Amino acid sequence: ADDRPDRPWIPGGAARIRGRLGDSARFYGQARRAFAGTDDDFARAYADCGLANALRQQGRLKEAESLYRSAHELYSRIEDGADLAYVDWGLGKIHLQRGEFAAARPRLNRALAAFLKHSEARGIVLSELALAQLGHAQGKTGEAERLFASAVARARRAGIHTHLEAFT
């Protein structure tokens, strides 16, 4: 927890979405250390994935990729399909950031399929937005526009602001 009285404590994910990437990484790092010696695979996977998200946002892609792979193994072990989809999405975003479009598409499509299966609205929106960015980068403007419009409409229907989250 953040023990400085001048800054209210907020969870790692909320810190990341608010653009407080250093705080987010610190919170998830604390959680990772706290659960490192336990057999709580979910907590370990959650901390790895959260820290990976913060590091990805900071441009620390190699470190983030390693943590996503650890989270992937743990979420697979406990058969947590919805959270595993966030890992696939994160790995897809890393590929997208690196310009590895051929590797990004299957990861993002896998994430989207899993989010649809689990009715995970935020994940569906994030995946559609990432696929829209990928489509645009590949010159598939029509596909990109359709995916973007679908994502924004879905977010509005669900009452979520995922389409505005620059730091997710």
Side-chain angles (χ1 to χ4, degrees):
D2 190 347
D3 56 2
R4 292 175 290 176
D6 62 323
R7 294 180 111 176
W9 182 87
I10 56 173
R16 184 185 66 250
I17 289 169
R18 291 178 60 193
R20 292 171 50 181
L21 302 175
D23 286 341
S24 178
R26 186 167 45 82
F27 292 140
Y28 280 117
Q30 289 170 353
R32 191 166 190 261
R33 286 186 297 279
F35 290 106
T38 73
D39 62 355
D40 189 338
D41 287 346
F42 175 81
R44 291 174 35 230
Y46 188 86
D48 283 355
C49 186
L51 182 53
N53 285 331
L55 296 177
R56 175 181 48 79
Q57 284 292 330
Q58 291 177 330
R60 297 165 61 183
L61 303 183
K62 188 172 184 175
E63 294 168 84
E65 184 175 15
S66 175
L67 287 162
Y68 278 133
R69 293 197 185 285
S70 172
H72 197 284
E73 181 181 321
L74 291 164
Y75 280 137
S76 294
R77 185 180 308 158
I78 61 174
E79 299 179 4
D80 185 339
D83 285 317
L84 184 59
Y86 280 106
V87 175
D88 280 325
W89 170 82
L91 287 166
K93 289 286 286 184
I94 285 177
H95 289 306
L96 184 59
Q97 247 175 293
R98 289 179 176 158
E100 300 165 352
F101 301 148
R105 188 169 294 279
R107 279 285 182 187
L108 295 172
N109 281 333
R110 186 177 312 130
L112 177 59
F115 287 135
L116 287 165
K117 177 181 176 184
H118 295 282
S119 301
E120 181 74 26
R122 180 175 180 267
I124 296 167
V125 171
L126 290 172
S127 295
E128 287 180 331
L129 290 171
L131 285 163
Q133 292 168 338
L134 175 60
H136 183 73
Q138 293 180 311
K140 300 176 182 177
T141 306
E143 171 190 315
E145 292 285 349
R146 282 188 300 281
L147 282 165
F148 181 82
S150 172
V152 172
R154 184 183 308 275
R156 288 185 174 147
R157 280 192 311 272
I160 57 178
H161 302 282
T162 304
H163 59 298
L164 300 173
E165 293 176 15
F167 298 105
T168 202

